[in-house]
Amino acid sequence: MEERNLEFDDDGKIKLRKGGALPVGEEGEDGEIVIDIPDLGEEEEDPAAAEERRKAALEQSRKERRTRAEQAFDEAEELFAAGDYDGAGEKYLDSASLNGADWRPWFGVVRVQTRDLTDFSGIYDCEQAYDKAFRRMSAEDRAALAEKYVPSLRARAESCASRQGALTEEDNRRREEERPVIARACRRNLALTVTFLALFVAFAVSGFSLIPFVRSVPDNSILIPCIVCIVLAAALLVVFVAFLMRLFSARTARRRNARAGTTPAGEEARMLAETEELIRSIIDDLQKQ
C-alpha cells in the first residue's frame, strides 16, 4: 500500500492511499483525512489494432504520394505536348521520385531526351531511365508502345540502312581514287628521304674527316671546304628530317586509306550504322514478350 502525506499550514494531513479500503483495525489518526484511491491499472493497447492503424496510415501516405505523382505526370505530359522539353523532363523526374514503380515517368524522361524517339543523339544520357521503364512496364504496355512507335522506328531504320549502303559505296570509291596518289607520295617521299640522308652522310663524313688537316695546310685551304661541308651537312639534316616526317605522314595516310569508313562519307555511313543498330535494339525491346 502506498501513502502520500501532504502537510498543510493548520497541521492537518491528507493521506492518499492507493489500493482500496483501509484494512481492518487501521484508522486515520486524529486530524487526518484518509482518502482511498482505487488502483486502476493502465490499459494496454491491442497490438493487432496498432498494426492495423500503422498499415492504414502507410496506405494513406502511399495514396497521397501516388496522387501527387499522377498530378506531376499530367503536368509533364502537358508541357511535353507544348514543346517545353526541359520543364517536362523535370516534372517526369518529380513524378518518378514520388512513385518510382510507375514506368510512365521513366519512359517520359526517355521521350524528352530523344524527342519522342526521333532524335537518338541524347539517348545515352538516359540509359538508367530507359532500363527502369522497360523493367517496370507490363506486356500490355509494351504492346501499346510497339503499336505506336515500331512502324516509324522501322521506317527510320530502313532509311538509315539505305543511306548507309550508298555512303559505303561512295567511301570505297573515294578511297580507290585516292590510293594511287597516296602510293606515289609514299614512293616520292621515300626516295627523297633516302637521297637527302645519303647526301647528309656524305657531307658530314667529308667535313669531319677534314678537321684533322686544317692546321697542317697553310692559307686555310682545308678550313673553308671543311666548314662548307659541315654547314651543308647540317642543312641536309634539316631537309632529311622534313622529308622523313612527310614519309611518315604518307604512310599513315596509306594505312588509313586501307581501312573502310575513313572518308567523310565513310564516317557518316558508320554513324548511320550505329543509329540503325540502336533503333533495331529499341524495336526488339518494344516487341519483347
Side-chain angles (χ1 to χ4, degrees):
M1 181 180 298
E2 178 182 355
E3 293 185 356
R4 296 181 184 177
N5 294 331
L6 303 179
E7 300 289 342
F8 290 93
D9 293 340
D10 58 356
D11 295 331
K13 296 181 180 179
I14 298 178
K15 287 187 177 181
L16 302 179
R17 180 164 46 204
K18 296 175 64 178
L22 288 170
V24 178
E26 183 176 342
E27 297 180 355
E29 300 177 358
D30 293 339
E32 292 182 348
I33 300 174
V34 179
I35 302 175
D36 290 327
I37 301 175
D39 190 5
L40 301 176
E42 295 181 358
E43 183 179 355
E44 295 184 359
E45 186 178 12
D46 184 7
E51 181 65 17
E52 287 297 326
R53 281 196 299 272
R54 188 188 68 81
K55 290 182 178 179
L58 183 59
E59 183 62 26
Q60 181 64 26
S61 175
R62 289 175 178 171
K63 287 182 179 179
E64 292 177 357
R65 288 177 64 87
R66 283 195 293 267
T67 301
R68 291 163 53 198
E70 194 67 27
Q71 291 175 351
F73 179 78
D74 292 339
E75 293 176 7
E77 290 286 275
E78 293 177 0
L79 291 171
F80 186 87
D84 185 0
Y85 298 116
D86 292 336
E90 293 179 2
K91 288 296 181 180
Y92 281 130
L93 290 175
D94 291 342
S95 178
S97 66
L98 291 169
N99 186 15
D102 189 359
W103 66 270
R104 296 176 303 161
W106 296 116
F107 192 73
V109 174
V110 177
R111 292 174 61 207
V112 168
Q113 290 295 117
T114 61
R115 300 300 185 264
D116 207 15
L117 299 184
T118 59
D119 181 4
F120 300 98
S121 59
I123 193 170
Y124 294 107
D125 296 331
C126 60
E127 286 184 276
Q128 292 186 357
Y130 182 92
D131 293 337
K132 290 179 179 180
F134 278 92
R135 283 202 308 267
R136 286 161 172 76
M137 68 176 60
S138 63
E140 292 78 8
D141 296 327
R142 285 177 187 264
L145 290 177
E147 183 179 358
K148 178 180 179 181
Y149 289 106
V150 166
S152 60
L153 289 174
R154 184 174 287 119
R156 177 77 179 276
E158 292 173 356
S159 174
C160 288
S162 176
R163 292 173 57 196
Q164 177 198 352
L167 290 170
T168 300
E169 292 180 0
E170 183 179 354
D171 172 65
N172 293 333
R173 180 179 57 79
R174 288 187 179 182
R175 288 188 299 112
E176 289 178 0
E177 292 175 353
E178 294 172 356
R179 195 164 295 143
V181 178
I182 295 174
R184 285 196 300 270
C186 286
R187 290 194 298 269
R188 182 177 64 254
N189 287 314
L190 177 61
L192 291 172
T193 300
V194 172
T195 300
F196 283 106
L197 175 61
L199 291 173
F200 160 72
V201 171
F203 279 97
V205 170
S206 299
F208 284 103
S209 63
L210 292 175
I211 291 177
F213 303 101
V214 170
R215 295 182 179 274
S216 62
V217 178
D219 300 331
N220 296 326
S221 58
I222 298 296
L223 177 61
I224 294 176
C226 177
I227 294 174
V228 170
C229 288
I230 292 175
V231 170
L232 287 175
L236 289 168
L237 177 62
V238 173
V239 176
F240 161 73
V241 171
F243 277 102
L244 181 64
M245 298 302 296
R246 293 180 63 179
L247 177 61
F248 287 156
S249 298
R251 290 191 170 183
T252 301
R254 184 173 62 183
R255 288 193 298 269
R256 179 181 175 84
N257 179 264
R259 297 195 305 269
T262 53
T263 65
E267 290 288 339
E268 187 175 354
R270 180 183 58 80
M271 294 177 62
L272 287 172
E274 293 176 356
T275 302
E276 180 193 1
E277 182 180 1
L278 176 62
I279 293 173
R280 295 197 183 279
S281 69
I282 295 174
I283 293 174
D284 292 339
D285 289 336
L286 289 171
Q287 293 180 332
K288 188 180 298 181
Q289 299 298 326

